[in-house]
């Protein structure tokens, strides 16, 4: 075995001779500058091969290979801080910071996370998974360094899409008005800010970041500061000259010294410019142009498809087949088109998740009624509120984890005004390999507390379509939350049918134990119930709760078990507890849901098993409760008794 392992190491070293020498950035900094382009080629090939086996985010990482190498080459990481935005562009960073040999465990249980995590590496200075946070976090680190009297450098690496988030501009506004030693690197991989770069722009960046220009610029300001009119004239001249030849006027107005744009794949230019900018002071911004998917033809041709991938064939780029059956996302996309065809008042909104939310066909069929607002969840919710004020019927398609970012708007702009907005909330519950940053663990808790809000969770695909139509026809705010992936395989009707609001169904009649299932947990409830001879109810509505059904079950069973893929605290089970307490109805209640901790990346089934929400875990918890024993892990199973 040892001989085989040694041979594998030798083969790897032969294929990646420079990369094999780099376990940490300190090793990278021992290389000569002329070696860096070859290292970039090897790192890019390694990344493609690695992700082809594991799946994950690909195109974004391919675009920042040279930038990542240059940053670690110039900056003294981890003492200097690199703060990545979103995180899906950080795979090259992970490979260069001690995790190359573990990349085959990417996004697997106990393996390397798909996003930066402080617990995973000292080089991951800030955990992230949502966008537009890097500048704020980096600003905090820069202020901390100043307070502590340290000379540490801090760099925020953000993307052009992340720059569309309001939080990024809030941070820019704060940083630009300060004298903090902060570099913001704007990774423009979509040509959305400026025209293609060339030799002239690279040369200009070198000049503007060089010592001569900086000395003249600062020295001139100092010398002319006592002559106000001349000082003002010089400032205007500099502003107009830079504004004529580069797109950085906005950043200059915000108080940043803007450099760029430069070619983000030109290693020599990157190293030279970053070297110069490292010695500069105050807030500054480097604008780099990169190609998403760089170096892999299929990803270059369709960077959107190859943004996040399942394992794929390295030669053809063909991905592993998707699970058989319609996903909940596809059910939503089909319903959206059908409902829009029947009602011209429908307007659909998404915060930069057209493909992920299943809206591609709708966007093509109804382009005038489709609005992708970019990574701006707060704006998406209030935009919908404004549309509803004028008699339109907006549908906001959003992931559960991203709706958290628009919660204030959900309360004040929609619920408080009782506006007719439908929320189609995808990725509810656990999301598998994306892990804790993307899990929809809290939506039942944060949505059901809002006055005027109807909250639903479908047990299958057809029920999902009916609930979406119910929410759409309801005159007020309504939310339908559904999980990632496929359902149990129930055929979806073609009609636009509704469900009576607040009415669940008693699926199986048993004895002693009644399992009240909310949403996609029904299959597991039915399996657990069949082993125990228990009754099973599909509750459907979290708000309004089917109180009559709860009372029927409480009157005829010794133990009520609530089951949900939301945290126990404040979730659907809590709604049942609160009702029984108000009704002063004596019955034992066992609440089963997600534990009071973040569930790390693993497969969806592994995450449910870890939470005690697989059929075995459910049965075990119920039997222990019936025997009078405490259920292990109070956050997973919470006991509530009324009048006993």
């Amino acid at each position: 075995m040892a001989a085989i392992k040694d041979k594998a190491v030798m083969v790897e070293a032969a294929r990646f001779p420079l990369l094999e020498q780099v376990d940490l950035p300190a090793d990278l900094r021992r290389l000569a500058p002329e070696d860096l382009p070859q290292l970039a080629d090897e790192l890019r090939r390694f990344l493609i091969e690695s992700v082809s086996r594991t799946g994950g985010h690909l195109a974004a990482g391919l675009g920042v290979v040279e930038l990542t190498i240059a940053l670690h080459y110039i900056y003294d990481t981890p003492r200097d801080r690199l703060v990545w935005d979103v995180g899906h562009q950080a795979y090259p960073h992970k490979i260069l910071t001690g995790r190359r040999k573990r990349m085959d465990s990417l996004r697997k249980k106990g393996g390397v996370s798909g996003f930066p995590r402080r617990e995973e590496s000292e080089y991951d200075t800030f955990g992230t998974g949502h966008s537009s946070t890097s500048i704020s976090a980096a600003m905090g680190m820069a202020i901390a360094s100043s307070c502590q009297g340290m000379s540490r450098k801090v760099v925020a690496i953000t993307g052009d899409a992340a720059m569309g988030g309001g939080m990024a501009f809030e941070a820019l506004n704060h940083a630009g008005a300060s004298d903090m030693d902060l570099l913001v690197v704007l990774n423009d991989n979509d040509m959305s800010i400026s025209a293609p770069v060339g030799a002239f722009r690279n040369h200009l960046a070198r000049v503007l970041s060089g010592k001569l220009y900086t000395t003249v610029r600062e020295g001139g300001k100092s010398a002319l500061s006592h002559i106000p009119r001349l000082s003002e004239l010089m400032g205007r001249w500099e502003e107009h000259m830079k504004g004529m030849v580069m797109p950085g006027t906005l950043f200059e107005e915000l108080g940043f010294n803007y450099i760029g744009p430069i070619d983000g794949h030109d290693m020599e230019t990157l190293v030279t410019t970053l070297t110069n900018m490292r010695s500069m002071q105050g807030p500054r911004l480097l604008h780099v142009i990169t190609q998403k998917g760089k170096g892999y033809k299929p990803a270059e041709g369709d960077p959107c498809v190859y943004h996040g991938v399942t394992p794929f064939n390295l030669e053809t780029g063909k991905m592993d087949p998707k699970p058989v059956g319609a996903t909940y996302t596809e059910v939503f996309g089909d319903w959206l088109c059908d409902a829009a065809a029947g009602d011209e008042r429908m307007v659909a909104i998404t915060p930069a998740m057209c493909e992920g939310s299943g809206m591609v066909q709708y966007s093509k069929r109804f382009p005038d009624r489709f609005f992708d607002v970019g990574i701006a969840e707060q704006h998406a919710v209030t935009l919908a509120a404004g549309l509803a004020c004028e008699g339109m019927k907006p549908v906001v398609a959003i992931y559960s984890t991203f709706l958290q970012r628009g919660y204030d708007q959900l309360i004040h702009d929609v619920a408080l005004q009782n506006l007719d907005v439908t929320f189609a909330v995808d990725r509810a519950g656990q999301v598998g390999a994306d892990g804790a940053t993307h899990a929809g663990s809290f939506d039942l808790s944060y949505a059901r507390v809002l006055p005027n809000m109807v909250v639903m969770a479908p047990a299958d695909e057809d029920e999902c379509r009916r609930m979406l139509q119910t929410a759409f026809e309801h005159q007020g705010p309504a939310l339908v939350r559904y999980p990632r992936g496929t359902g149990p395989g129930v055929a979806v009707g073609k009609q636009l049918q509704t469900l009576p609001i607040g009415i669940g169904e008693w699926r199986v009649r048993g004895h002693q134990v009644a399992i009240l299932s909310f949403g996609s947990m029904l299959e597991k409830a039915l399996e657990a119930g069949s082993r125990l001879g228990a009754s099973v109810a599909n509750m459907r509505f979290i708000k309004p709760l089917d109180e009559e059904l709860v009372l029927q079950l409480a009157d005829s069973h010794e133990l009520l078990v609530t089951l949900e893929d939301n945290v126990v605290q404040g979730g659907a089970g809590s709604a049942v507890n609160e009702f029984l307490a108000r009704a002063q109805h004596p019955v034992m209640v066992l609440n089963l849901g997600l534990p009071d901790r973040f569930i790390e990346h693993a497969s969806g089934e592994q995450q449910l098993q870890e939470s005690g929400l697989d059929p075995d875990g459910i049965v075990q918890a119920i039997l222990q409760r019936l025997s009078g024993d405490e259920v292990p892990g109070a956050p997973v199973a919470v006991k509530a008794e009324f009048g006993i």
Side-chain angles (χ1 to χ4, degrees):
M1 288 294 293
I4 295 174
K5 185 176 180 180
D6 290 343
K7 185 176 181 180
V9 171
M10 292 174 61
V11 170
E12 195 80 353
R15 296 180 62 241
F16 304 106
L18 286 180
L19 187 59
E20 275 290 311
Q21 299 177 37
V22 179
D23 287 324
L24 294 170
D27 304 320
L28 166 64
R29 291 189 280 270
R30 284 194 283 267
L31 297 178
E34 55 267 25
D35 290 332
L36 299 185
Q38 179 184 334
L39 178 65
D41 290 340
E42 293 180 17
L43 176 54
R44 185 169 274 112
R45 282 192 290 113
F46 181 90
L47 177 61
I48 295 168
E49 293 180 16
S50 176
V51 176
S52 75
R53 295 189 294 269
T54 63
H57 292 99
L58 179 64
L62 291 176
V64 295
V65 166
E66 288 83 3
L67 176 61
T68 305
I69 291 172
L71 285 167
H72 279 294
Y73 192 69
I74 298 303
Y75 286 88
D76 183 22
T77 55
R79 185 181 186 280
D80 290 337
R81 308 304 200 204
L82 300 185
V83 185
W84 295 92
D85 216 307
V86 184
H88 55 240
Q89 58 183 338
Y91 288 10
H93 160 81
K94 286 176 178 275
I95 293 167
L96 294 175
T97 54
R99 287 162 279 185
R100 171 169 50 85
K101 296 176 182 177
R102 296 184 60 222
M103 287 301 287
D104 276 348
S105 71
L106 182 72
R107 291 159 52 92
K108 298 176 183 177
K109 185 176 177 63
V112 175
S113 170
F115 299 94
R117 293 185 71 234
R118 286 171 54 82
E119 299 88 344
E120 188 175 285
S121 170
E122 63 180 330
Y123 292 90
D124 291 0
T125 59
F126 194 75
T128 185
H130 292 186
S131 83
S132 312
T133 62
S134 63
I135 304 173
S136 296
M139 183 63 175
M141 294 176 188
I143 293 172
S145 295
S146 177
C147 291
Q148 295 163 2
M150 302 184 70
S151 59
R152 171 183 294 136
K153 299 292 183 179
V154 182
V155 182
I157 305 98
T158 188
D160 54 342
M163 287 295 289
M167 186 176 176
F169 279 94
E170 292 173 12
L172 286 171
N173 185 54
H174 179 206
S178 75
D179 59 355
M180 286 298 112
D181 188 3
L182 173 67
L183 171 63
V184 176
V185 177
L186 172 58
N187 172 31
D188 181 358
N189 59 20
D190 200 28
M191 311 302 286
S192 62
I193 295 179
S194 64
V197 296
F200 172 70
R201 290 190 182 273
N202 286 341
H203 171 71
L204 189 61
R206 287 195 183 100
V207 170
L208 293 177
S209 67
K211 289 185 178 179
L212 177 61
Y213 176 82
T214 302
T215 301
V216 171
R217 179 178 186 264
E218 298 303 322
K221 284 183 178 180
S222 177
L224 297 174
S225 62
H226 302 294
I227 312 175
R229 293 186 65 184
L230 287 178
S231 178
E232 180 182 355
L233 177 63
M234 182 178 179
R236 289 180 179 176
W237 172 84
E238 179 186 30
E239 176 184 331
H240 289 306
M241 287 300 292
K242 294 180 86 171
M244 281 171 24
V245 295
M246 63 185 62
T249 304
L250 169 64
F251 301 111
E252 292 279 354
E253 290 289 345
L254 286 171
F256 280 77
N257 185 7
Y258 171 90
I259 304 296
I262 66 172
D263 183 350
H265 302 298
D266 184 330
M267 188 68 79
E268 181 183 356
T269 296
L270 277 171
V271 169
T272 301
T273 305
L274 284 171
T275 300
N276 291 335
M277 296 191 77
R278 190 180 189 281
S279 63
M280 298 164 66
Q281 299 296 313
R284 49 216 187 271
L285 186 141
L286 173 62
H287 181 178
V288 301
I289 303 294
T290 62
Q291 181 183 8
K292 198 170 183 178
K294 173 75 172 178
Y296 187 55
K297 290 297 183 183
E300 290 178 353
D302 199 339
C304 185
V305 167
Y306 285 86
H307 170 77
V309 298
T310 58
F312 59 91
N313 183 290
L314 201 60
E315 299 301 321
T316 65
K318 187 176 180 180
M319 298 181 205
D320 288 355
K322 295 195 306 182
V324 177
T327 64
Y328 283 99
T329 301
E330 290 168 342
V331 170
F332 165 72
D334 291 341
W335 168 80
L336 191 67
C337 290
D338 293 344
D343 194 331
E344 293 184 352
R345 296 173 299 166
M346 176 189 276
V347 175
I349 302 165
T350 180
M353 295 304 299
C354 176
E355 291 81 12
S357 292
M359 305 175 77
V360 173
Q361 288 305 313
Y362 177 91
S363 68
K364 293 176 179 178
R365 288 183 58 184
F366 306 97
D368 294 336
R369 289 191 273 158
F370 170 72
F371 296 93
D372 184 342
V373 300
I375 302 176
E377 294 87 358
Q378 294 173 309
H379 170 58
V381 175
T382 304
L383 173 66
L387 285 160
C389 286
E390 300 302 322
M392 301 299 284
K393 299 268 298 176
V395 176
V396 179
I398 191 167
Y399 289 8
S400 172
T401 185
F402 297 144
L403 183 55
Q404 294 164 186
R405 309 188 88 188
Y407 190 55
D408 181 67
Q409 290 68 31
L410 186 65
I411 298 172
H412 284 266
D413 299 339
V414 177
L416 179 62
Q417 302 186 87
N418 198 24
L419 292 174
D420 189 2
V421 179
T422 295
F423 292 90
V425 180
D426 202 337
R427 269 57 166 189
Q430 292 303 294
V431 293
D434 281 339
T437 58
H438 285 62
S441 306
F442 313 106
D443 51 62
L444 295 186
S445 300
Y446 70 65
R448 79 170 188 87
V449 299
L450 301 181
N452 300 321
M453 183 71 70
V454 173
V455 182
M456 303 171 247
D460 59 52
E461 300 90 333
D462 186 60
E463 204 166 75
C464 183
R465 180 179 172 93
R466 289 173 178 241
M467 285 185 177
L468 288 165
Q469 186 64 24
T470 303
F472 186 68
E473 293 189 17
H474 172 67
Q475 297 298 309
L479 182 152
V480 182
R481 57 100 72 175
Y482 44 90
R484 182 178 194 169
T486 57
V490 174
V492 180
K494 295 300 181 184
Q495 302 302 314
L496 295 174
Q497 297 177 326
T498 62
L499 293 169
I501 290 179
I503 304 298
E505 59 173 351
W506 194 331
R507 277 286 186 99
V508 176
R509 292 183 181 270
H511 57 86
Q512 191 179 15
V513 175
I515 303 176
L516 287 66
S517 176
F518 293 87
S520 62
M521 297 303 297
L522 182 61
E523 272 194 296
K524 291 176 173 53
L526 290 169
E527 183 176 340
S530 69
R531 298 188 200 176
L532 297 167
S535 292
V536 178
N538 174 24
M539 297 304 296
R540 288 178 170 165
F541 290 83
I542 294 83
K543 186 175 184 180
L545 185 69
D546 189 341
E547 297 176 352
E548 182 177 342
L549 179 55
V550 173
L551 286 176
Q552 290 175 11
L553 294 165
D555 284 337
S556 53
H557 296 81
E558 177 185 341
L559 173 66
L560 298 188
V561 180
T562 64
L563 183 61
E564 61 190 298
D565 58 349
N566 186 87
V567 292
V568 169
Q569 292 85 344
S574 291
V576 173
N577 297 348
E578 292 160 12
F579 166 66
L580 290 171
R582 290 195 307 272
Q584 297 184 340
H585 197 294
V587 66
M588 289 193 300
V589 180
L590 173 64
N591 300 136
L592 298 179
L594 297 175
D596 186 24
R597 57 185 171 83
F598 293 103
I599 306 296
E600 298 302 339
H601 54 280
S603 71
E605 287 301 315
Q606 287 173 326
Q607 289 173 327
L608 289 177
Q609 185 178 30
E610 182 181 337
S611 304
L613 297 181
D614 61 321
D616 288 341
I618 296 167
V619 169
Q620 181 184 9
I622 293 172
L623 291 176
Q624 286 182 306
R625 185 66 189 90
L626 287 173
S627 69
D629 295 337
E630 288 294 329
V631 178
V636 176
V638 178
K639 177 176 69 175
E641 297 183 20
F642 303 97
I644 293 181

